[in-house]
Amino acid sequence: MTLLTIRIEKIGLKDAGQCIDPHITVNVKDLNGIDLTPVQDTPVASRKEDIYVHFNVDIELQKHVEKLTKGAAIFFEFKHYKPKKRFTSTKCFAFMEMDEIKPGPIVIELYKKPTDLKRKQLQLLTKKPLYLHLHQTLHKE
C-alpha cells in the first residue's frame, strides 16, 4: 500500500503580501463532494514574499492512495482572515486528481471560489500564471 505526503511549498497570488494569517485547508473528496479523509489545516504561512505566500509544510494523507475512490480529488483551499468582516474567508482553491499523484514537484492552477467539489464549473482565478506549488512523496508500506 502507498501513503502520500504532500509538501505545500508556496502559492502565487497578486496580493500575497496583504493576506492576514493565510493557511490552506486540505481535504480529499469523491465525485459527490463527500469527505474521504479527515480535513487538515496547515499552520499559518511561514512568510510572504513578492507574489508568494510560503508554507513549506508537509501534509500526510490519512488514507492509502489505493483506497481512494475513482474520481476522487485532493482539494487545497487557500484561506485568510478578513478583519473588517471578522471571519476567515476562502480566497481560491486548487485540486489534484488521482492521475496527478506521482513523486516529485507539481504546480496546479488556482480557481475562483466557491470551492467546486464536483469540479463542474471551474473558473480560473486569474489570467496571470499563478499556481500552487507542491512536492509529492510516495511511501510504500
Side-chain angles (χ1 to χ4, degrees), residues 69-85:
T69 53
K70 189 174 189 288
I74 305 165
F75 284 86
F76 303 88
E77 293 178 290
F78 179 83
K79 298 181 176 181
H80 63 115
Y81 184 70
K82 291 192 159 177
K84 286 185 183 150
K85 295 183 179 170

Side-chain angles (χ1 to χ4, degrees), residues 122-133:
L122 298 169
Q123 288 187 299
L124 284 174
L125 179 68
T126 170
K127 290 184 171 62
K128 293 189 168 116
L130 299 174
Y131 302 99
L132 177 61
H133 297 253

Side-chain angles (χ1 to χ4, degrees), residues 28-140:
V28 183
K29 305 271 191 187
D30 69 8
L31 272 172
N32 298 316
I34 309 288
D35 280 315
L36 298 176
T37 64
V39 174
Q40 299 181 67
D41 283 317
T42 68
V44 169
S46 55
R47 64 191 169 96
K48 298 178 264 193
E49 171 184 273
D50 300 329
I51 60 162
Y52 290 108
V53 178
H54 293 266
F55 289 93
N56 290 317
V57 172
D58 286 344
I59 292 281
E60 178 105 16
L61 282 202
Q62 303 297 307
K63 203 171 207 179
H64 292 103
V65 173
E66 292 84 355
K67 291 191 175 160
L68 296 174
T69 53
K70 189 174 189 288
I74 305 165
F75 284 86
F76 303 88
E77 293 178 290
F78 179 83
K79 298 181 176 181
H80 63 115
Y81 184 70
K82 291 192 159 177
K84 286 185 183 150
K85 295 183 179 170
R86 292 198 181 135
F87 76 94
T88 299
S89 168
T90 299
K91 180 170 183 64
C92 58
F93 74 99
F95 65 89
M96 234 173 63
E97 295 182 314
M98 295 298 101
D99 62 354
E100 295 175 286
I101 294 178
K102 51 186 174 282
I106 181 173
V107 290
I108 53 178
E109 294 180 311
L110 303 175
Y111 295 98
K112 287 181 183 166
K113 63 182 184 183
T115 305
D116 182 2
L117 299 173
K118 296 185 178 174
R119 313 188 289 280
K120 296 278 186 252
Q121 297 180 329
L122 298 169
Q123 288 187 299
L124 284 174
L125 179 68
T126 170
K127 290 184 171 62
K128 293 189 168 116
L130 299 174
Y131 302 99
L132 177 61
H133 297 253
L134 307 171
H135 192 280
Q136 302 179 74
T137 307
L138 296 166
H139 311 272
K140 289 284 183 201

